[in-house]
Amino acid sequence: MKGMLQFLIIHLLSKKPTHGSEIAKEIGRRKGEKPSLGTIYPALKDLLNRGIIKLQSSGKRKVYSLAEIGKNGLEECRAWFKRVFGDLL
């Protein structure tokens, strides 16, 4: 499930830079159940450590966006997702 969560985060950040609680809110809107911030922030930290996303502070809020490597890898992730889950759709 961790990989799916990270895929969702990358997908959402491809639309616009945003902060962690907004990511959780949007995932909740899509899934019907909002993940806890204790689930979201470790996934964000892992993506940061791997250089896939970047972080900018905006006042008290931390705004996350895709790093260049994240942008380049997004299409590859989408292709993988389609191969794995395409038959379900």
Side-chain angles (χ1 to χ4, degrees):
M1 195 63 191
K2 178 182 173 186
M4 182 60 98
L5 176 61
Q6 289 184 347
F7 178 78
L8 281 168
I9 291 170
I10 292 167
H11 172 72
L12 292 173
L13 292 177
S14 74
K15 306 295 182 194
K16 67 175 184 169
T18 192
H19 50 89
S21 59
E22 184 63 31
I23 291 169
K25 181 180 172 183
E26 181 60 24
I27 291 173
R29 187 184 72 74
R30 291 168 181 250
K31 283 183 44 183
E33 182 180 341
K34 181 180 171 184
S36 73
L37 295 180
T39 301
I40 294 294
Y41 284 108
L44 287 168
K45 183 178 179 181
D46 183 54
L47 291 168
L48 276 169
N49 289 340
R50 295 184 344 193
I52 296 170
I53 63 173
K54 55 188 178 179
L55 172 65
Q56 290 183 324
S57 292
S58 177
K60 290 185 178 184
R61 293 211 178 219
K62 295 178 178 180
V63 177
Y64 298 90
S65 61
L66 282 182
E68 199 60 37
I69 191 171
K71 291 175 186 175
N72 293 338
L74 182 59
E75 287 306 315
E76 185 177 317
C77 289
R78 285 180 176 153
W80 174 85
F81 186 84
K82 287 177 186 176
R83 279 194 313 272
V84 172
F85 297 104
D87 290 342
L88 297 175
L89 304 173

